[in-house]
Amino acid sequence: MTQPDESAPMSSSSAPSTPSSAVSPPAGETGQETQITLRSPAELADALPYLMGFHPNDSIVLLALHGERGRFGGRLRLGIPDNRAEWPDVSDQLAETLVTGCAKRGSRPDGIVLFLCQDPAEGETGRQVRERLHPLAQSLRLACGGLDVPVYEALCISDGRFWSYCCPDERCCPSEGVPLALPGTSVMAAAAAYAGIQVRGTLREMEARYAPLTGPRAREQQTALDAAAADLVPRILRGTDCETVRQETLALAGLLIGRFHEAPPASGRAAADERDDALVAADEAAAIVLGLQDRTTRDRAAEWMEGPQAPAALRVWRALARRCVPPYAEHAAAPLTLAGWVAWSVDCTNSGHGSTLWRCVRNIWACRCRMSSPVYIRSDGRPCTAVEDRGSCCWYVDVVAVAGGGWCGA
């Protein structure tokens, strides 16, 4: 996807509850953009995965609209809080984050489109999800309205259907919901395919690729991490051996990246991850994971974010994140940070503006990093290195992404 500021102008709507919004997929080799106009709640619901680069399950998504014709601007996503008591405060924070973030990047939004995406719990229907989340939708609408930015449309997407919280017309938005378009059958899907945009599954599916190993392999990895910690931690703490440990870590990481580069990934995510896991020994993973806890080492490892080995490096960092099993789960911050670097770089190289793959990885990166050690990123969305001034990193990692290339946190 193009960055929001590059989106095409959009036609105005005859009704505020169904804004007419235009989307501009990435420019092709000719440099021309494909303009798409979205005129109904159904088209907005179908476009969401293409705007985000993935299916944002269990998510609040806010999209800013600019100008008389409703050009898409900033995009913000946050997991739906389980505690209903948090909804009013979260709504206020999200509205302020999106509005102020867009203002800093050029102009306040003239309107907002809201999505609440959540699958039904066991024994629950999509319609019941819609009713359960109605107070959250209302809270978000009030928060945005309090900043003089109206919510033109608010949709609940659940169980393959969508419901509008704004449109009372049973002809277009019946109480039983409207089925989503079949994948690949809409105009947006065709335009996305032509532009080379990939929807990389659901956020839950992508998170699973970075989740810690379980079962016997997890126990084997924990044993290896314990042994590596007993060896490396004293050497690091003494201070006199730090540079040697750094060189050993980087040499071993380079060996793994070369090994992955020579073994192309298998087809299918599960098969590819299984093959990658088999390419890494438990003791190798333990040594690299612990060595990467040193920020200088991590920053040097970031040099693999570019060049022909970058895709292999992304696979290595992903495999190492899976090796951060309890009680070493917080150690995943380092390989996740490196995965974020590579994803951003690879997307910039392949598409010219680095958004789709980077947007996917950074959501996973933030979800896990926010539960471990602090990781900082710059206002353009890239992680800060240890040698950079933390004062220039204006946003702290959280699950909120705004305006395509940047991050904001509460």
Side-chain angles (χ1 to χ4, degrees), residues 40-50 55 157 159-162 177-190:
S40 68
E43 291 179 342
L44 285 171
D46 177 68
L48 181 61
Y50 303 99
H55 293 274
I157 299 177
D159 198 24
R161 291 175 173 265
F162 75 86
V178 180
L180 296 171
L182 293 175
T185 61
S186 67
V187 174
M188 183 69 182

Side-chain angles (χ1 to χ4, degrees), residues 6 30 39 54 61 93 112 119 143 151 157 164-165 184 195 212 267 281 287 304 312 358 368 378 399 409:
E6 297 170 350
T30 63
R39 294 188 175 87
F54 57 93
V61 178
Q93 292 177 11
I112 289 174
D119 294 329
V151 173
I157 299 177
S164 172
Y165 291 113
S267 59
W304 280 296
W358 165 231
R368 289 196 65 188
R378 305 188 305 198
V399 292

Side-chain angles (χ1 to χ4, degrees), residues 274-355:
E274 185 70 23
R275 178 175 179 178
D276 286 351
D277 286 336
L279 293 174
V280 186
D283 57 342
E284 291 176 326
I288 298 175
V289 165
L290 290 170
L292 289 175
Q293 302 312 302
D294 173 66
R295 287 184 176 179
T296 300
T297 307
R298 186 204 67 189
D299 291 348
R300 292 180 184 175
E303 294 178 5
W304 280 296
M305 66 184 284
E306 298 176 329
Q309 291 188 323
L314 178 58
R315 290 163 53 203
V316 168
W317 307 138
R318 187 164 54 213
L320 292 177
R322 293 194 292 268
R323 298 304 183 102
C324 296
V325 299
Y328 295 89
E330 71 278 3
H331 288 61
L336 285 169
T337 300
L338 291 167
W341 267 103
V342 179
W344 178 85
S345 176
V346 168
D347 238 20
C348 280
T349 301
N350 291 343
S351 65
H353 38 70
S355 58

Side-chain angles (χ1 to χ4, degrees), residues 27-375:
E29 293 181 1
T30 63
Q32 297 180 347
E33 291 184 338
T34 301
Q35 298 185 8
I36 304 170
T37 301
L38 308 176
R39 294 188 175 87
S40 68
E43 291 179 342
L44 285 171
D46 177 68
L48 181 61
Y50 303 99
L51 294 170
M52 301 299 291
F54 57 93
H55 293 274
N57 51 273
D58 296 321
S59 298
I60 302 167
V61 178
L62 300 180
L63 302 180
L65 302 177
H66 296 269
E68 294 182 357
R69 304 182 67 192
R71 174 178 52 85
F72 275 128
R75 300 153 211 182
L76 181 152
R77 190 209 72 89
L78 180 73
I80 297 175
D82 294 329
N83 186 354
R84 292 191 179 196
E86 298 177 359
W87 288 359
D89 288 339
V90 167
S91 298
D92 291 341
Q93 292 177 11
L94 292 182
E96 183 179 0
T97 295
L98 182 61
V99 172
T100 57
C102 289
K104 289 178 180 178
R105 288 172 174 266
S107 64
R108 282 170 54 90
D110 297 296
I112 289 174
V113 177
L114 161 66
F115 299 86
L116 298 179
C117 309
Q118 191 169 71
D119 294 329
E122 185 175 355
E124 190 179 33
T125 66
R127 186 171 180 177
Q128 290 171 326
V129 173
R130 186 261 185 208
E131 295 300 327
R132 176 168 53 80
L133 296 180
H134 192 184
L136 176 57
Q138 186 64 13
S139 181
L140 287 160
R141 293 175 70 185
L142 289 172
C144 295
L147 297 174
D148 296 324
V149 182
V151 173
Y152 287 146
E153 182 56 271
L155 300 178
C156 175
I157 299 177
S158 180
D159 198 24
R161 291 175 173 265
F162 75 86
W163 290 260
S164 172
Y165 291 113
C166 297
C167 179
D169 192 341
E170 284 281 331
R171 293 172 298 178
C172 61
C173 298
S175 57
E176 66 271 17
V178 180
L180 296 171
L182 293 175
T185 61
S186 67
V187 174
M188 183 69 182
Y194 176 77
I197 299 171
Q198 297 183 43
V199 176
R200 301 174 186 271
T202 68
L203 184 58
R204 187 181 299 113
E205 291 170 343
M206 292 184 294
E207 287 173 347
R209 303 194 73 183
Y210 293 81
L213 298 176
T214 58
R217 299 179 71 176
R219 291 190 289 272
E220 178 189 10
Q221 188 60 59
Q222 180 184 348
T223 300
L225 285 164
D226 289 340
D231 174 48
L232 293 177
V233 171
R235 295 174 59 190
I236 295 173
L237 292 178
R238 282 196 300 266
T240 57
D241 211 15
C242 283
E243 187 57 35
T244 302
V245 173
R246 288 168 182 160
Q247 292 176 3
E248 292 173 353
T249 301
L250 293 171
L252 187 54
L255 180 66
L256 277 188
I257 290 172
R259 186 185 304 165
F260 275 57
H261 184 67
E262 294 175 358
S267 59
R269 294 177 182 173
D273 291 345
E274 185 70 23
R275 178 175 179 178
D276 286 351
D277 286 336
L279 293 174
V280 186
D283 57 342
E284 291 176 326
I288 298 175
V289 165
L290 290 170
L292 289 175
Q293 302 312 302
D294 173 66
R295 287 184 176 179
T296 300
T297 307
R298 186 204 67 189
D299 291 348
R300 292 180 184 175
E303 294 178 5
W304 280 296
M305 66 184 284
E306 298 176 329
Q309 291 188 323
L314 178 58
R315 290 163 53 203
V316 168
W317 307 138
R318 187 164 54 213
L320 292 177
R322 293 194 292 268
R323 298 304 183 102
C324 296
V325 299
Y328 295 89
E330 71 278 3
H331 288 61
L336 285 169
T337 300
L338 291 167
W341 267 103
V342 179
W344 178 85
S345 176
V346 168
D347 238 20
C348 280
T349 301
N350 291 343
S351 65
H353 38 70
S355 58
T356 306
L357 177 60
W358 165 231
R359 189 180 295 122
C360 296
V361 174
R362 70 184 178 184
N363 277 280
I364 303 160
W365 172 46
C367 288
R368 289 196 65 188
C369 286
R370 70 192 178 101
M371 295 182 292
S372 53
S373 62
V375 179

